[in-house]
Amino acid sequence: MTGLFIISLTFFAVSEAGQRSLALAQENLGQVQANFLLEEGVEVIRLWRDDSWLTLANLTLGANYYLDFIGGRWVSSASPYSAGSGNLYDIFSRTFRLEAVNRDPNSHNIVSSGGSADSDIKKIVVTVSWQSHGSSRSKSLSAYLVKI
């Protein structure tokens, strides 16, 4: 009887450890996919900048936009992309926004408040959100883009 109890307890412990390992692996997969989506979002916006600064200059500062790949090219939209196609967008939501950049008039350093607006540089913030085990997750990545 004691042997059966020990075997049952061991089986339960191994099963629980396996379930926890699987949950951690799934969480890690979500984190890795979110990181790739963040990097991809920044790269897409850099490509737009390289193609034409007007693509960025015509967007409203502070507004959230969604990225979508339609007809072989990247587009931005103020509304979410269409889900239900079995792709990552069914799991993740990716937005970006542009922010104005101010510079100190004397040092020309970027400042968070005060200074004067620099129309040749924009701050981009890409955010990826998703649900994992019943809780909301979110990661953001920011970068500065200079008119070239």
Side-chain angles (χ1 to χ4, degrees):
M1 189 65 142
T2 303
L4 183 59
F5 175 74
I6 291 172
I7 291 172
S8 296
L9 187 60
T10 303
F11 178 75
F12 176 75
V14 169
S15 175
E16 183 67 23
Q19 288 178 346
R20 288 185 187 264
S21 295
L22 182 60
L24 287 173
Q26 288 173 335
E27 176 65 27
N28 188 46
L29 176 62
Q31 294 279 343
V32 169
Q33 289 174 320
N35 287 337
F36 282 128
L37 288 169
L38 286 169
E39 290 288 338
E40 181 184 55
V42 170
E43 288 302 316
V44 166
I45 298 166
R46 282 186 179 138
L47 287 171
W48 288 345
R49 184 263 329 256
D50 294 349
D51 187 43
S52 172
W53 182 255
L54 289 177
T55 304
L56 299 178
N58 291 332
L59 296 175
T60 303
L61 295 177
N64 283 325
Y65 293 94
Y66 294 85
L67 289 174
D68 204 355
F69 194 70
I70 299 174
R73 54 183 291 214
W74 287 99
V75 296
S76 64
S77 172
S79 58
Y81 29 73
S82 54
S85 55
N87 59 26
L88 289 176
Y89 295 137
D90 292 336
I91 301 168
F92 297 92
S93 173
R94 176 174 51 190
T95 60
F96 75 93
R97 73 178 181 277
L98 298 176
E99 297 178 357
V101 174
N102 292 337
R103 290 189 180 271
D104 180 278
N106 299 318
S107 67
H108 301 289
N109 291 332
I110 294 173
V111 293
S112 58
S113 64
S116 57
D118 185 343
S119 61
D120 290 337
I121 188 168
K122 303 282 185 227
K123 181 179 179 181
I124 57 168
V125 180
V126 179
T127 302
V128 173
S129 305
W130 72 101
Q131 292 288 320
S132 178
H133 303 291
S135 62
S136 297
R137 307 276 187 204
S138 180
K139 294 184 91 165
S140 294
L141 180 63
S142 62
Y144 290 97
L145 294 180
V146 178
K147 181 179 179 180
I148 53 174

